[in-house]
């Protein structure tokens, strides 16, 4: 049995018998006016963090969500895209699609604004999405891509890139791990199905996205997620796993490389009202400006003693330099 078949079996079981402990979330449930999330959706929220960000969801966007789970994030996306088929949910597991349909019926009873027709559920594979090119404004996945081995991960990211419109956003939440995993862990199919043994270091994760062509990367959150310990897992040492939330934007690739925001800021504290580097970056006196790593390095290279640079906070919420 391939690791993808194992994954199908794991989530078939989780659809038929909701497993609250299958995955541990690191975000509170969205509190939005008039939004009520059925308990069953919360019990079937098999993700880490959140892919729902209000600033991505202006102007009634067309949204794609791959790996539907219990439907909670699709319901949240529908809050911002209240149109027939405004949110497309794709899953390869029939039982999960059927469970989501039932959950949306319950959500419709609890939310006056919601209609099940807002969500278009489709049987499909993340490696071969059943959508046209350049048809989606926001694509999202939560704790799914970490099940894929390297070649399949490249295909899954390429598929998301293909269906996104120019300047569209791929929003993801996945576990990451800085410590290398031993061969036993990496080859454990059930752990991979739970998004644990496929965790990548952040640098490799980001490179996968920029290699696919995404010109702008925003790291929005980096949070503690799980510990793999020798008592409960096949490892000789503690392995710390984080949950990371990232947006990859289908911007043209700059000639000097991608803009990767890791939460750095530059603060000019000189005698003038502002500092202008002549390349599109203006720093007002003593006002922090979020800068991508590339711009931070270029400004640091000027050797000035009146600009302060913060370290990466791995939190970025817009308003930056590029």
């Amino acid at each position: 049995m391939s690791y993808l078949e194992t994954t199908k079996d794991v989530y078939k079981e989780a659809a038929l018998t909701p497993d609250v402990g299958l995955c541990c979330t690191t975000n509170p449930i969205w509190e939005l006016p008039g939004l009520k999330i059925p308990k069953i959706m919360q019990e079937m929220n098999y993700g880490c963090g959140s892919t729902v960000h209000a600033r991505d969801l202006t102007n009634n966007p067309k949204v794609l969500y791959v790996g539907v789970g219990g439907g909670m994030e699709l319901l949240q996306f529908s809050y911002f895209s209240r149109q027939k088929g405004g949110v497309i949910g794709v899953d390869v597991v029939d039982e999960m699609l059927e469970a989501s349909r039932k959950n949306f019926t319950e959500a419709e009873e609890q939310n006056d604004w919601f209609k099940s027709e807002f969500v278009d559920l489709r049987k499909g594979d993340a490696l071969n999405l059943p959508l046209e090119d350049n048809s989606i404004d926001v694509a999202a996945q939560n704790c799914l891509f970490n099940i894929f081995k390297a070649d399949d991960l490249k295909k899954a990211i390429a598929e998301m890139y293909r269906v996104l419109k120019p300047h569209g956003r791929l929003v993801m939440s996945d576990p990451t791990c800085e410590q290398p995993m031993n061969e036993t862990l990496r080859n454990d199919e059930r752990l991979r199905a739970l998004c644990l043994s496929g965790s990548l270091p952040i640098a490799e994760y980001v490179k996968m996205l920029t290699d696919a062509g995404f010109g702008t990367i925003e790291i929005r959150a980096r949070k503690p997620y799980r510990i793999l310990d020798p008592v409960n897992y096949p490892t000789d040492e503690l392995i710390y796993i984080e949950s990371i939330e990232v947006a990859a934007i289908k911007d043209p690739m700059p000639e000097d490389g991608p803009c990767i925001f890791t939460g750095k800021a530059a603060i000019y504290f000189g005698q003038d009202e502002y500092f202008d580097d002549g390349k599109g970056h203006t720093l007002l006196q003593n006002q922090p400006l979020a800068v991508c790593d590339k711009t931070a390095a270029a400004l640091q290279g000027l050797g000035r003693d009146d600009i302060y640079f913060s370290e990466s906070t791995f939190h970025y919420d817009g308003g930056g330099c590029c």
Side-chain angles (χ1 to χ4, degrees):
M1 180 183 294
S2 73
Y3 80 97
L4 293 175
E5 290 298 322
T6 299
T7 301
K8 288 181 185 178
D9 288 346
V10 167
Y11 286 96
K12 175 182 177 179
E13 294 172 8
L16 296 174
T17 306
D19 184 354
V20 177
L22 184 68
C23 200
C24 54
T25 57
T26 56
N27 272 53
I29 302 300
W30 271 85
E31 296 287 346
L32 294 168
L35 173 62
K36 296 180 180 178
I37 298 176
K39 181 181 178 182
I40 184 64
M41 283 188 172
Q42 298 180 41
E43 293 175 347
M44 296 178 68
N45 180 25
Y46 306 135
C48 61
S50 177
T51 60
V52 183
H53 296 266
R55 68 185 182 87
D56 296 331
L57 300 170
T58 58
N59 301 319
N60 227 21
K62 192 80 168 181
V63 180
L64 165 67
Y65 190 79
V66 183
V68 300
M72 188 182 82
E73 290 200 84
L74 286 93
L75 175 63
Q76 294 172 356
F77 279 123
S78 295
Y79 186 90
F80 297 94
S81 186
R82 303 183 185 189
Q83 55 183 311
K84 184 176 181 180
V87 179
I88 299 171
V90 173
D91 206 297
V92 72
V93 180
D94 291 318
E95 290 80 4
M96 196 64 80
L97 290 168
E98 182 58 29
S100 291
R101 288 190 181 94
K102 292 180 180 177
N103 294 348
F104 287 130
T105 299
E106 186 169 338
E108 195 167 359
E109 294 173 355
Q110 295 184 26
N111 294 273
D112 292 340
W113 58 270
F114 177 70
K115 298 180 181 179
S116 293
E117 66 179 22
F118 292 169
V119 181
D120 176 7
L121 290 175
R122 302 182 186 181
K123 173 75 174 288
D125 190 336
L127 306 180
N128 187 22
L129 292 171
L131 289 99
E132 297 179 356
D133 296 356
N134 306 310
S135 59
I136 295 294
D137 297 299
V138 177
Q141 66 83 22
N142 192 334
C143 236
L144 169 66
F145 280 13
N146 274 76
I147 70 171
F148 294 126
K149 295 182 179 179
D151 288 344
D152 288 336
L153 177 57
K154 291 177 183 178
K155 292 178 184 177
I157 293 173
E159 276 293 277
M160 290 292 219
Y161 187 90
R162 176 183 66 81
V163 302
L164 278 170
K165 297 176 183 177
H167 308 294
R169 294 168 178 259
L170 168 57
V171 188
M172 307 193 295
S173 181
D174 282 303
T176 60
C177 177
E178 292 298 341
Q179 297 164 263
M181 293 190 177
N182 62 44
E183 187 173 351
T184 302
L185 267 174
R186 288 199 308 270
N187 293 329
D188 189 309
E189 292 186 351
R190 188 167 181 87
L191 288 180
R192 182 171 286 276
L194 297 175
C195 285
L196 295 176
S197 66
S199 298
L200 294 173
I202 290 177
E204 291 184 28
Y205 187 93
V206 170
K207 188 175 187 302
M208 284 276 192
L209 296 169
T210 57
D211 284 351
F214 289 99
T216 302
I217 308 294
E218 301 176 353
I219 298 182
R220 295 176 169 177
R222 181 179 177 181
K223 307 172 185 178
Y225 182 56
R226 281 190 178 182
I227 291 290
L228 304 186
D229 66 277
V231 175
N232 297 293
Y233 299 93
T235 176
D236 295 327
E237 59 183 346
L238 293 179
I239 296 179
Y240 171 57
I241 299 180
E242 295 177 305
S243 168
I244 186 173
E245 295 178 15
V246 174
I249 303 173
K250 194 176 177 179
D251 289 338
M253 183 65 68
E255 292 184 2
D256 57 351
C259 294
I260 301 172
F261 289 89
T262 62
K264 291 184 176 181
I267 304 176
Y268 168 66
F269 55 94
Q271 298 302 309
D272 297 325
E273 291 185 7
Y274 63 90
F275 168 76
D276 187 343
D277 71 348
K279 298 181 180 179
H281 310 113
T282 302
L283 281 68
L284 301 179
Q285 188 183 57
N286 233 351
Q287 297 295 312
L289 176 70
V291 291
C292 70
D293 290 7
K294 180 177 62 178
T295 296
L299 292 174
Q300 286 175 312
L302 299 176
R304 297 182 65 99
D305 60 4
D306 56 2
I307 303 178
Y308 174 83
F309 299 93
S310 73
E311 298 294 328
S312 295
T313 62
F314 295 99
H315 175 81
Y316 177 75
D317 60 1
C321 66
C322 303

